[in-house]
Amino acid sequence: MNKESKLGLGGHSFIEELGNDPHASFEEQCAIVAACLDNGIDLIDTTYYQERVALGHVLKRLGRQDEARIMAWNFFKHPGREHELVDYTPYEPQHLDLMLEELQTDAIDLLVIHAHDDTAKLREELALAQDWVQAGKVKQVALGMAQLGHLRQLPAVHPISAVLAPYNAFHREAKEMFEAAKSLGMDAIALSPFVRGWKLDEIGADKNTAAAILLRWVAAEPLVDHVVVSMRKAEWVHSNLRAVGEGPLTEAEIVQLQEWLAR
Ligand SMILES: NC(=O)c1ccc[n+]([C@@H]2O[C@H](COP(=O)([O-])OP(=O)(O)OC[C@H]3O[C@@H](n4cnc5c(N)ncnc54)[C@H](OP(=O)(O)O)[C@@H]3O)[C@@H](O)[C@H]2O)c1
C-alpha cells in the first residue's frame, strides 16, 4: 500500500478559469485522480460547485469513491450564474444535501467553512457543521482562509480540526496562524504552493525547476501537514511527488529562491 503523501489535489484542476493551460478533458481528469490515488494522494479539494460536480463524475467513472478523502468548501451554484465562479456563501441547512448530491457521495470527509468576520454568523455555521458531524454526513470540519483573529474568536467548544490558507514562499502571512492552530491540536493545510500557475511563468526560470523549488519550500516545512496543489496534467502528479520526495532545499536552491523573491 502507498504511504499517504503530504500532497493534496486542488479542485482548480477540474476547471479552466484559474489556469494557464486548456481545461483538462474528462479523460485527463480521470487520469489525474487515478494517478493521485495510486500514489498516496487521497486528499482531494473541491472549492467551487463546478469542482464538486466534476470530482463526483470522475470518482464514479473510476469506481474509487471510497479511496478519496474529499474536502469541500461553501461555494455554491447560483441561479443564472451557473457558469461563473461565485464567491462563498455562509452555510445554511439546505447546503449539505446539495453538496453531497453534486459529489455523488454520502459524506464529506473535511467540510471547509470559509472564515469571515461576522462572529455570530460564523458560530451558527459551526453549530450547523457540528450537527452534520453528529448525523454522520461530515467527518471533520475545517476553517478556510483562516486568520489568527478567527481562531481567537472560536467558542470553547467547536468542531474545527484543521485550518486552510494560502501559504507559499511568496506569501508567508499564514505562518503565525498555522502555529496557533497547531498549538490547538489542529492540522495546517497550505494552499497554492505556486501562488497560481502563471507565477511559474513569471519567474522565467525552467518551469519544472521553479515548480520543484517552490513546492519543496512548503512541503518540507514541518508546520505544514498537507499542501494542496492543482494539477491539470497527470504527469505533474509524478513530478510533484518526485519533488516532495527530494526533501528540503539545498543552500544553492535557497539562494536561487531568494533571487526570485527579490525581483
Ligand atoms: N489560493 C486560494 O485562495 C485558494 C482558496 C481556496 C482553495 N484553494 C485550493 O488550493 C488549490 C491550489 O491552488 P491554486 O490552484 O490556486 O495554486 P497552485 O496549486 O499553487 O498552482 C497550480 C498551478 O500550478 C501549475 N502546476 C502544477 N504543478 C506543476 C508542475 N509540476 N509543473 C508546472 N506547473 C505546475 C498549474 O498551472 P497551469 O495549469 O495554470 O499551467 C496549476 O494549475 C486550489 O485548486 C484549491 O483547491 C486555494
Side-chain angles (χ1 to χ4, degrees):
M1 195 151 95
N2 280 306
K3 191 171 159 288
E4 189 200 345
S5 171
K6 212 168 181 177
L7 280 183
L9 177 65
H12 302 349
S13 311
F14 305 116
I15 57 171
E16 63 185 331
E17 284 84 351
L18 300 174
N20 284 320
D21 279 314
H23 185 224
S25 66
F26 179 65
E27 296 308 323
E28 185 71 17
Q29 291 179 18
C30 290
I32 293 164
V33 172
C36 285
L37 295 176
D38 288 345
N39 290 285
I41 303 176
D42 62 357
L43 189 65
I44 305 184
D45 185 43
T46 56
T47 308
Y48 297 102
Y49 94 88
Q50 294 93 328
E51 300 170 4
R52 291 195 290 274
V53 173
L55 180 63
H57 286 308
V58 167
L59 288 173
K60 189 169 183 203
R61 165 69 74 87
L62 295 174
R64 301 181 74 169
Q65 289 99 327
D66 295 343
E67 293 175 54
R69 283 194 298 141
I70 301 175
M71 298 201 288
W73 295 62
N74 43 330
F75 289 78
F76 300 108
K77 178 155 80 173
H78 288 241
R81 301 179 66 191
E82 290 81 359
H83 301 294
E84 295 175 36
L85 301 182
V86 180
D87 203 1
Y88 76 93
T89 304
Y91 282 108
E92 298 287 346
Q94 72 279 9
H95 285 143
L96 183 65
D97 285 341
L98 292 172
M99 297 169 87
L100 294 174
E101 198 179 314
E102 287 161 352
L103 285 162
Q104 304 187 47
T105 188
D106 297 330
I108 290 171
D109 295 281
L110 189 62
L111 185 90
V112 185
I113 301 176
H114 194 298
H116 54 77
D117 295 330
D118 182 341
T119 306
K121 185 68 203 166
L122 193 57
R123 286 184 177 211
E124 278 176 33
E125 292 180 83
L126 291 167
L128 194 53
Q130 182 65 61
D131 289 347
W132 290 336
V133 171
Q134 267 155 11
K137 293 182 172 188
V138 165
K139 293 185 185 158
Q140 286 184 286
V141 185
L143 201 58
M145 309 305 276
Q147 296 177 7
L148 207 48
H150 300 124
L151 289 186
R152 293 194 179 122
Q153 284 168 31
L154 285 174
V157 178
H158 63 77
I160 300 297
S161 62
V163 289
L164 293 85
Y167 182 63
N168 52 60
F170 289 90
H171 299 284
R172 307 178 182 197
E173 300 82 357
K175 184 166 189 176
E176 206 186 339
M177 184 278 294
F178 279 161
E179 284 168 346
K182 299 290 295 181
S183 73
L184 295 170
M186 299 174 188
D187 281 349
I189 303 179
L191 308 171
S192 308
F194 308 136
V195 184
R196 295 271 193 228
W198 52 259
K199 189 75 179 176
L200 293 171
D201 297 309
E202 192 184 89
I203 287 171
D206 172 69
K207 211 167 158 176
N208 293 328
T209 308
I213 288 181
L214 288 177
L215 188 54
R216 283 165 59 208
W217 182 87
V218 192
E221 165 69 74
L223 194 58
V224 169
D225 294 286
H226 288 284
V227 183
V228 178
V229 54
S230 50
M231 302 182 252
R232 262 175 262 271
K233 297 178 186 172
E235 68 194 59
W236 285 345
V237 175
H238 302 288
S239 49
N240 289 341
L241 275 168
R242 258 196 315 277
V244 170
E246 281 170 27
L249 298 178
T250 63
E251 284 300 318
E253 287 163 341
I254 291 169
V255 170
Q256 173 69 90
L257 176 59
Q258 275 161 352
E259 191 199 304
W260 298 338
L261 297 175
R263 281 186 203 157

